[in-house]
Amino acid sequence: MRSLDAKIAMTPAPSSVKSPYLTQQEVGAKISELRQERDVPQRVLAEAVGLDPSGMSRIESGERGLAVDELVAVAAFFGVILVMFLITSLISPRQ
């Protein structure tokens, strides 16, 4: 019975089901959008997070992900909750 449970737990979700988690590209886009809305130069954000501007550019374009401490630093810099960079919505749409 345990082997069946393990197989069920390891079965990936159907591809038609959208993950509630943001992709690397979506996180980068959200950071870029927030930065531009607040009129913060990319260089300033990069320095606050401890990155060089080219690293921040790659994050915003989705080419590079963030380490946990970098993501925490971005959220703290903007004064937002960390979860806004992790999940698509805090409230599920009604069906």
Side-chain angles (χ1 to χ4, degrees), residues 20-53:
Y21 304 108
L22 295 175
T23 65
Q24 180 173 306
Q25 290 77 19
E26 291 168 328
V27 171
K30 190 170 284 262
I31 291 170
S32 177
E33 179 182 324
L34 191 56
R35 182 182 60 74
Q36 291 174 29
E37 284 175 359
R38 299 199 182 181
D39 201 29
V40 174
Q42 197 174 57
R43 175 188 49 75
V44 171
L45 177 58
E47 288 174 5
V49 176
L51 298 170
D52 58 69

Side-chain angles (χ1 to χ4, degrees), residues 23-89:
T23 65
Q24 180 173 306
Q25 290 77 19
E26 291 168 328
V27 171
K30 190 170 284 262
I31 291 170
S32 177
E33 179 182 324
L34 191 56
R35 182 182 60 74
Q36 291 174 29
E37 284 175 359
R38 299 199 182 181
D39 201 29
V40 174
Q42 197 174 57
R43 175 188 49 75
V44 171
L45 177 58
E47 288 174 5
V49 176
L51 298 170
D52 58 69
S54 67
M56 185 56 65
S57 176
R58 291 189 352 257
I59 288 167
E60 289 186 4
S61 69
E63 294 175 38
R64 176 194 185 281
L66 291 100
V68 172
D69 61 329
E70 294 168 341
L71 192 56
V72 169
V74 169
F77 179 86
F78 287 118
V80 298
I81 59 174
L82 183 62
V83 74
M84 94 175 273
F85 297 111
L86 302 176
I87 60 175
T88 57
S89 176

